[in-house]
Amino acid sequence: MFIGVDDSHDSVAAHVSSLPYELLIDILSRLPGKSLMRFKSVSKHWLSLIREDAHLMDLHFSRSKSRPVLLHINPLPEVGLSTSNTVQQRISCGEISGGEEQVEEITSEVRITDDKWFLYDHILEPVNGLVCFVHWKTYAIRVYNASTRQETPWVKSTLLAEENCKLTYKDSKMKIKSLRNPVYRFGFDPEYKEHKVFCFWRLVSRPQRRHNNSLDRPDYESWEALTVGQDTKWRRINAVPNKNNQIEIKQALPPASCSRRQVYADGTIYWSNKEYRSDAFRYSNPDDPDVIVAFDVGSEKYRVIPVPKFILDEPRDETFRVPIGMLVLGTHVALLYRMEPNVVKLWMLDDGADKKLENCGRESNTNWRSETITLPFCCDNGFDGFGIAGCSDKILFESRVRKNSELFTCLYSYDRVKKSCKKIEMDGVSSFTSYSDASLLATFTESLFPVQPLDKTS
């Protein structure tokens, strides 16, 4: 059956009733998210399938990996002048496809949100079609599906209030505070098909009138977790290490680590505790161990993977001694180092199921391999790279430049097989306005995964 743009809902619904279940699921799973959202109005049966059928969700997500999408979320310029609690966003979704010899063109669909869009401060990168927004002042998060346009309510943390309520009368002059902003992580449990958000706190108890330089001396740590679509409030967890771990999480999460970028792959959230990123680099302690933290979303436990000495001792500019980026290529997590102004080096780690504990050993060197990449532009401050879901042969590189007090991001597509680099243009635009933590530019895979309990989904 072919569904044409001129078909009426009634005639389409009549055809639908005679289709076998497996055939219908096979057809719907091949459609992009935008089409599926339109087809929810075809019939109640289709609405139920698109919203609730687990088999359709899994099959659609699996097939969507072959058509990755570039997602760009950015506040409109007038947002900074507004005193309202609502804003407008420019949301662009573009299919990544081939183009001219020197330019890779992306045809995008641009949507401007209405005035009911919410204020936020920070965005976590997409995980299996979902994006997590953070509001620092209220310590709250909100999860949004970029394909279905569903979103959760804000879920605020009550941790600080609860900790302060525990203080006795004797401690009435004390107050529990957080060291800078907490660390948020976002991932997916493939076994139970659940998205989870994690929050790491470093807390201090200090007299309310005392102002001392104590930011690097936390009294204790606390973890919280939120299962999207199930939990209505944050829950405390004990994030303990897996077996054979040799480095404590305290060392792997220095006080300034809230800005460290995460990547996600196969049920694990990865981040480096050493990454060259503006203020994060200034606050980095040279004595902290060079490691990758691997946090398992399902078990809510972590591993710490030491970066081998032969990588750390490579000759390179001391300014760029730490990684300038982190990405996932297929089944490999990779650290990106700047070697020369236009040369970067990937160190890729095979962290498959049979090698996870092996990689935690200090002498585990056999699972690393390298790749040197020469680019047609300078890899200086504001440079980063990220992989494309379902495509290990391509890497997207971003380079930020400042023009007339505004910050712009230019995107490039690098083919690892052909060793060629193309500049990306989205609808004829080759650079994107950036507003720091309030902006997002990343690839994602479309999904129908719900963000609310099914009986509450709109």
Side-chain angles (χ1 to χ4, degrees), residues 260-292:
R260 300 298 197 277
R261 177 188 169 193
Q262 70 159 60
V263 296
Y264 166 85
D266 299 327
T268 302
I269 305 169
Y270 298 91
W271 67 90
S272 169
N273 76 320
K274 295 285 186 70
E275 190 174 346
Y276 188 85
R277 279 180 171 270
S278 59
D279 62 326
F281 181 73
R282 283 203 315 272
Y283 290 115
S284 294
N285 186 343
D287 296 328
D288 288 334
D290 293 82
V291 299
I292 295 173

Side-chain angles (χ1 to χ4, degrees), residues 308-458:
K309 193 173 184 298
F310 63 82
I311 297 179
L312 301 177
D313 292 343
E314 273 193 311
R316 51 181 170 262
D317 189 331
E318 183 62 23
T319 304
F320 297 92
R321 189 186 68 82
V322 298
I324 60 174
M326 190 176 191
L327 58 151
V328 170
L329 296 173
T331 60
H332 292 73
V333 58
L335 295 175
L336 185 66
Y337 289 89
R338 177 189 186 272
M339 308 303 291
E340 297 178 19
N342 66 327
V343 177
V344 294
K345 192 169 187 178
L346 283 172
W347 278 103
M348 296 164 284
L349 174 66
D350 184 354
D351 198 41
D354 58 335
K355 299 178 180 179
K356 290 184 181 294
L357 292 182
E358 178 185 337
N359 290 332
C360 294
R362 292 188 180 278
E363 303 303 323
S364 176
N365 300 332
T366 58
N367 297 333
W368 291 86
R369 62 186 181 89
S370 65
E371 179 179 325
T372 301
I373 299 174
T374 302
L375 296 169
F377 55 90
C378 183
C379 315
D380 216 327
N381 298 347
F383 173 81
D384 206 347
F386 46 95
I388 302 175
C391 179
S392 60
D393 291 338
K394 283 191 176 183
I395 303 174
L396 296 187
F397 289 111
E398 61 174 301
S399 177
R400 298 189 187 99
V401 294
R402 187 169 294 277
K403 300 177 181 178
N404 299 325
S405 75
E406 281 195 279
L407 193 62
F408 291 87
T409 294
C410 296
L411 272 183
Y412 300 84
S413 173
Y414 178 79
D415 191 313
R416 298 175 61 202
V417 177
K418 299 179 181 178
K419 299 188 182 301
S420 60
C421 189
K422 297 180 180 179
K423 193 167 186 177
I424 288 178
E425 289 189 356
M426 181 182 287
D427 288 344
V429 178
S430 59
S431 61
F432 309 86
T433 305
S434 175
Y435 286 91
S436 186
D437 287 346
S439 299
L440 174 70
L441 185 60
T443 62
F444 84 113
T445 301
E446 286 191 316
S447 78
L448 302 176
F449 293 126
V451 298
Q452 297 181 15
L454 291 177
D455 59 342
K456 296 181 181 180
T457 305
S458 60

